[in-house]
């Protein structure tokens, strides 16, 4: 196995895709849909929000290991956040996927960095960003 | 007899990518040197617009274009080259038939019958037409092995059916449908037929007179020709009665400000400057195919398919989707744990090109409970080493996902 592959399919991603966090069909909250018509990856995100606070999130659906792991990390890291911090977290995850951003001195959570390898697999960037972009849109559109 | 190794040498791409196991020919085929040269030759030495040019160059171009049409007619054994309409591809041809042939005839309550294994190209145009007319799109179901059950088919051929359109070789399951028998059954009841031969024409002899289909479509790029060119065969009797699909230059007899009379077939269906280089390239591709001993090439391809099937079946946790008795060199599969896109990414690192996803047959795969498959598709330039490389790549998939 080559190094590029090892970096992409490192432990964080494989673990999250095998045992996704809060992977459940019967969740409460607002349902938002993350769908990539090009590849067919499709997740439902359930956001349990009270006013300014994201109490907890769940998700369900199907897709590749990268999109599933990225959704799992999203659901885990949004839990308990206020909206402003949630937006910050989304921005830092998106920075990890952006090849133009130097990550070295940025305060980025360890788990997010696992997805940096997707930068060298341009065909797979969309997998990593799918749920996060959906979340970003949701947060933007809140009153 | 030309061996597969010799054939491989005819395709310059493999000189540039000697390590590539190209297993995506169902998406598009590679191009033989002859085709690339024919296109270059046209642009470099013979380029001019066709029809109505009085000067030599234009007459040469017209001749080359019409020779390509004859070449297509010969290849599929059409009795008359006027039955060959150049299109952009299979999709374009199906849209043409839906709009120019069926739309004027279809009434509320009528039925268009297709199979459940159609490519979106042979589904969406009929579906949209049915929706617009209050007609019904009915489906011939597909069994678990990926086949049409004969009785399921026959019982759907009611009086209400105004069109039967189906795929010869399924692009996602590899199933070879009994085209001849199905068409005969429809014809007996006076139902017009369209055969989608996009996946079959490159490998299986197609004789439109023997098939007796009303329409048949295929794409140039899947049969070793260029992209952007395709063929609609329509029996003259049907084409003659059809109104144009698009209108403009090239398809007219006489134009006045308030009315137009249209050109005879096939020009009536070729509005605008056609893809002249594409038609010439397609002609070259078909000539190339004719120069091969096609039966023995097919035999070798079948052997390779059997080898690939055996190799894939030997991998634990891998399941081949589409187990029809009559099957082409298209092998769709899924693996426990690993999603098709992960499989394709890992195979890409092993220089194996496969396609992953729903292969434009989304309702079929969803019906089978699958988000998609990985698909290895074979062609005349593939050899055992490609399959061995695939096998090795799949070992890495197992290593990562267990």
């Amino acid at each position: 196995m080559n190094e590029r592959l090892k970096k992409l399919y490192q432990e964080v991603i494989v673990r999250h895709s095998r045992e996704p966090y809060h992977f459940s069909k019967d969740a409460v909250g607002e349902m938002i849909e993350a769908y990539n018509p090009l590849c067919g990856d499709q997740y439902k995100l359930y956001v349990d929000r009270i006013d300014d606070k994201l109490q907890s999130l769940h998700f369900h659906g199907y897709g590749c290991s990268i999109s599933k792991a990225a959704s799992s990390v999203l659901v885990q890291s949004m839990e308990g956040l206020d909206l402003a911090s949630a937006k910050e977290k989304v921005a830092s995850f998106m920075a990890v996927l952006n090849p133009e951003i130097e990550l070295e001195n940025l305060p980025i959570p360890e788990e997010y960095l696992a997805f940096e390898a997707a930068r060298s697999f341009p065909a797979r960037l969309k997998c990593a960003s799918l749920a996060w972009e959906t979340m970003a849109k949701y947060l933007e559109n809140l009153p | 007899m030309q061996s597969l190794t010799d054939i491989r040498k005819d395709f310059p791409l493999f000189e540039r990518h000697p390590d590539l196991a190209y297993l995506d020919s169902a998406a598009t085929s590679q191009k033989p040197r002859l085709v690339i040269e024919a296109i270059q030759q046209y642009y470099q030495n013979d380029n001019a617009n066709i029809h109505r040019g009085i000067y030599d160059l234009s007459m040469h171009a017209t001749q080359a274009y019409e020779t390509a049409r004859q070449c297509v007619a010969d290849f599929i054994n059409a009795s008359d080259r006027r039955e060959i309409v150049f299109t952009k591809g299979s999709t374009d041809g199906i849209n043409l038939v839906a709009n120019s042939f069926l739309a004027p005839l279809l009434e509320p309550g009528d039925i268009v019958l297709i199979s459940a294994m159609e490519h979106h190209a042979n589904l969406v145009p009929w579906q949209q037409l049915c929706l617009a007319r209050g007609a019904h799109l009915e489906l011939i179901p597909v069994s678990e092995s990926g086949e049409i059950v004969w009785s399921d088919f026959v019982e759907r051929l009611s009086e209400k059916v105004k069109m039967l359109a189906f795929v010869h070789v399924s692009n996602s399951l590899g199933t070879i449908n009994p085209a001849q028998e199905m068409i005969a059954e429809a014809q007996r009841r006076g139902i017009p037929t369209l055969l989608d031969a996009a996946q079959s024409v490159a490998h299986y002899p197609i004789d439109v007179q023997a098939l007796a289909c009303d329409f048949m479509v295929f794409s140039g790029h899947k049969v070793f020709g260029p992209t952007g060119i395709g063929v609609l065969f329509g029996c003259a009797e049907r084409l003659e009665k059809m109104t144009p699909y698009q209108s403009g230059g090239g398809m007219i007899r006489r134009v006045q400000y308030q009315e137009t009379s249209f050109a005879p077939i096939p020009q009536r269906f070729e509005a605008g400057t056609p893809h002249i280089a594409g038609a010439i390239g397609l002609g070259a591709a078909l000539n190339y195919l004719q120069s091969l001993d096609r039966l023995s090439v097919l035999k070798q391809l079948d052997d390779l398919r059997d080898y690939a099937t055996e190799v894939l079946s030997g991998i634990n946790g891998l399941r081949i989707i589409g187990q029809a008795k009559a099957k082409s060199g298209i092998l769709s599969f899924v693996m426990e744990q690993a999603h098709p896109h992960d499989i394709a990414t890992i195979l890409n690192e092993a220089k194996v090109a496969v396609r992953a996803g729903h292969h434009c047959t989304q309702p079929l795969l969803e019906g089978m409970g699958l988000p998609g498959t990985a698909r290895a598709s074979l062609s005349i330039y593939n050899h055992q080493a490609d399959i061995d490389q695939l096998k090795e790549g799949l070992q890495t998939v197992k290593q990562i996902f267990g």
Side-chain angles (χ1 to χ4, degrees):
Chain A
M1 196 190 317
N2 69 27
E3 286 308 309
R4 270 157 47 88
L5 271 186
K6 264 188 208 155
K7 271 195 189 141
L8 182 66
Y9 292 110
Q10 56 184 293
E11 196 254 339
V12 172
I13 290 180
V14 174
R15 178 165 47 82
H16 269 280
S17 76
R18 276 203 189 130
E19 291 156 20
Y21 183 76
H22 276 191
F23 191 69
S24 147
K25 233 194 279 215
D26 318 299
V28 287
E30 293 163 82
M31 194 273 281
I32 51 178
E33 197 159 46
Y35 177 50
N36 179 357
L38 290 179
C39 67
D41 284 3
Q42 193 167 10
Y43 297 100
K44 284 178 172 149
L45 305 177
Y46 301 90
V47 186
D48 182 11
R49 174 178 63 92
I50 297 177
D51 300 328
D52 192 35
K53 196 171 173 209
L54 304 172
Q55 301 287 103
S56 75
L57 281 77
H58 288 75
F59 81 112
H60 201 263
Y62 53 76
C64 65
S65 66
I66 313 286
S67 66
K68 201 176 208 179
S71 308
S72 172
V73 170
L74 169 80
V75 162
Q76 194 167 41
S77 54
M78 290 292 114
E79 193 170 280
L81 295 185
D82 62 42
L83 298 181
S85 336
K87 281 181 188 166
E88 271 171 35
K89 287 270 197 240
V90 171
S92 64
F93 188 88
M94 297 313 281
V96 170
L97 302 182
N98 185 343
E100 279 161 23
I101 295 180
E102 182 61 60
L103 298 176
E104 213 168 324
N105 297 315
L106 298 177
I108 288 175
E110 195 71 24
E111 290 218 311
Y112 293 12
L113 290 173
F115 293 87
E116 190 189 350
R119 288 181 177 191
S120 59
F121 291 84
R124 305 303 300 279
L125 275 174
K126 182 77 200 166
C127 313
S129 66
L130 181 61
W132 290 80
E133 274 175 5
T134 308
M135 189 68 199
K137 212 169 278 169
Y138 167 80
L139 291 171
E140 265 166 41
N141 290 337
L142 284 178
Chain B
M1 189 185 92
Q2 209 162 7
S3 75
L4 292 182
T5 326
D6 292 334
I7 289 175
R8 199 174 169 83
K9 287 189 191 134
D10 296 336
F11 291 79
L13 184 121
F14 297 115
E15 285 165 23
R16 180 70 199 246
H17 303 282
D19 308 336
L20 176 69
Y22 183 75
L23 298 174
D24 197 21
S25 295
T28 198
S29 62
Q30 296 303 337
K31 317 303 170 200
R33 188 173 288 106
L34 281 172
V35 168
I36 300 165
E37 283 171 0
I39 295 166
Q40 188 176 357
Q41 154 88 13
Y42 165 71
Y43 280 129
Q44 204 162 290
N45 303 328
D46 306 324
N47 178 60
N49 209 335
I50 57 168
H51 301 319
R52 294 173 312 281
I54 301 301
Y55 53 97
D56 286 351
L57 205 57
S58 170
M59 286 189 287
H60 286 155
T62 304
Q63 200 176 11
Y65 183 71
E66 292 303 324
T67 303
R69 196 190 304 278
Q70 184 62 52
C71 178
V72 173
D74 294 342
F75 190 78
I76 58 171
N77 196 33
S79 60
D80 184 345
R81 70 186 176 92
R82 296 180 310 136
E83 296 181 313
I84 306 302
V85 178
F86 283 121
T87 62
K88 286 190 286 182
S90 301
T91 303
D92 194 29
I94 295 166
N95 276 279
L96 194 162
V97 175
N99 282 281
S100 289
F101 172 70
L102 193 59
L105 307 174
L106 199 65
E107 286 177 6
D110 282 346
I111 291 171
V112 175
L113 184 62
I114 63 171
S115 86
M117 65 172 99
E118 297 311 312
H119 187 283
H120 294 167
N122 202 24
L123 188 168
V124 184
W126 307 117
Q127 175 197 69
Q128 293 301 307
L129 179 60
C130 286
L131 287 172
R133 291 299 149 88
H136 304 294
L137 184 69
E138 214 171 285
L139 299 157
I140 311 161
V142 171
S143 73
E144 210 169 301
S145 62
E147 292 163 303
I148 288 173
V149 177
W150 189 253
S151 54
D152 288 339
F153 164 60
V154 175
E155 73 190 22
R156 281 171 176 76
L157 293 172
S158 73
E159 272 175 17
K160 289 270 176 202
V161 176
K162 292 291 145 58
M163 185 85 207
L164 167 68
F166 67 98
V167 71
H168 193 189
V169 169
S170 156
N171 74 306
S172 52
L173 304 174
T175 311
I176 305 172
N177 286 314
Q180 181 108 43
E181 292 82 348
M182 289 174 71
I183 291 164
E185 208 61 39
Q187 208 186 27
R188 199 168 305 148
R189 295 164 173 82
I191 300 169
T193 52
L194 178 142
L195 183 66
D196 171 3
Q199 293 295 344
S200 58
V201 121
H203 305 300
Y204 304 96
I206 298 277
D207 178 336
V208 288
Q209 291 186 65
L211 283 168
C213 52
D214 294 280
F215 302 100
M216 188 271 282
V217 295
F218 70 91
S219 299
H221 70 98
K222 293 199 205 290
V223 58
F224 314 109
T227 53
I229 187 84
V231 168
L232 162 67
F233 159 82
C235 66
E237 202 183 314
R238 299 276 189 205
L239 289 181
E240 297 277 16
K241 290 188 190 130
M242 285 158 56
T243 50
Y245 173 41
Q246 293 182 325
S247 47
M251 49 74 73
I252 53 93
R253 204 165 71 90
R254 179 181 160 84
V255 178
Q256 292 164 292
Y257 279 121
Q258 302 304 335
E259 61 179 314
T260 294
S261 59
F262 302 119
I265 64 165
Q267 277 76 29
R268 189 188 303 164
F269 303 105
E270 294 180 3
T273 295
H275 187 4
I276 305 165
I280 291 169
L282 174 58
L286 300 182
N287 282 334
Y288 169 75
L289 267 180
Q290 297 281 41
S291 76
L292 305 176
D293 177 352
R294 292 192 75 198
L295 274 182
S296 63
V297 170
L298 181 57
K299 169 79 177 63
Q300 293 174 75
L301 197 58
D302 282 347
D303 289 345
L304 197 60
R305 171 207 59 203
D306 291 345
Y307 178 66
T309 307
E310 192 188 308
V311 164
L312 291 180
S313 309
I315 295 171
N316 238 341
L318 184 149
R319 185 158 63 94
I320 295 177
I321 304 300
Q323 310 259 12
K325 281 186 279 301
K327 226 184 130 173
S328 75
I330 290 174
L331 294 127
S332 256
F333 60 92
V334 293
M335 290 172 88
E336 277 168 22
Q337 311 286 345
H339 185 277
H341 285 109
D342 294 312
I343 298 173
T345 291
I346 295 164
L347 289 178
N348 179 51
E349 293 299 301
K351 294 201 164 45
V352 178
V354 299
R355 196 149 288 256
H358 52 55
H359 317 296
C360 290
T361 54
Q362 197 170 14
L364 171 71
L365 294 184
E366 276 179 7
M368 291 175 143
L370 297 169
T373 69
R375 180 188 71 185
S377 51
L378 309 173
S379 192
I380 58 176
Y381 35 67
N382 288 119
H383 50 179
Q384 273 204 7
D386 294 332
I387 309 301
D388 296 334
Q389 205 167 322
L390 169 66
K391 181 182 176 183
E392 211 168 297
L394 292 173
Q395 299 303 344
T396 310
V397 176
K398 296 204 69 173
Q399 221 177 307
I400 292 172
F401 290 101

